Amino acid sequence: MKYPRILVTGAAGFIGSNFVHHIYQKYPDYRILVLDLLTYAGSVDNLPTSFSGAGDRVEFWYGDVRNASLVENLMRRVDIVVHFVLFIIIIHGACFM
């Protein structure tokens, strides 16, 4: 049986990392590809500490979802995409999401 491979974008942020923890613990046969730019909201410290012993179960990719070739390459390798990336731009005191 082929188990699902999941790409999680924004996975090192608060919500994304909690989702990754949940999938990692509840579905031990799933493979998880993590994509994050590690900006102000993301940190590898938010990811499960057991990643180092995960073998081929988890892959971390440092990168930007706006990098079309990277995202296209990763999407060819997965069955499911879960998108948690949020860009916030502040210009002259106004906040745009």
Side-chain angles (χ1 to χ4, degrees), residues 26-63:
K26 184 163 176 114
Y27 302 100
D29 295 318
Y30 283 27
R31 303 295 180 255
I32 306 167
L33 277 69
V34 169
L35 174 62
D36 206 292
L37 190 57
L38 301 176
T39 58
Y40 66 94
S43 171
V44 292
D45 294 335
N46 293 336
L47 297 170
T49 56
S50 55
F51 268 13
S52 59
D56 65 350
R57 188 164 165 225
V58 177
E59 289 181 41
F60 178 82
W61 287 80
Y62 173 78

Side-chain angles (χ1 to χ4, degrees), residues 9 11 16 19 26 32 36 42-43 54 67 76 82 86 88 91:
T9 65
F19 177 79
K26 184 163 176 114
I32 306 167
D36 206 292
S43 171
N67 180 337
R76 285 187 180 131
V82 182
L86 173 66
I88 298 175
I91 301 173

Side-chain angles (χ1 to χ4, degrees), residues 1-5 29-31 79:
M1 177 177 182
K2 179 184 171 194
Y3 293 100
R5 293 167 297 184
D29 295 318
Y30 283 27
R31 303 295 180 255
D79 306 301

Side-chain angles (χ1 to χ4, degrees), residues 6-13 15-17 19-20 23 33-37 63-67 71 74-75 78 80-87 97:
I6 302 174
L7 171 61
V8 183
T9 65
I15 296 172
S17 64
F19 177 79
V20 169
I23 295 297
L33 277 69
V34 169
L35 174 62
D36 206 292
L37 190 57
D64 194 326
V65 295
R66 296 173 292 182
N67 180 337
V71 172
L74 294 175
M75 288 185 67
V78 299
I80 301 166
V81 176
V82 182
H83 181 64
F84 289 111
V85 172
L86 173 66
F87 293 105
M97 291 194 237

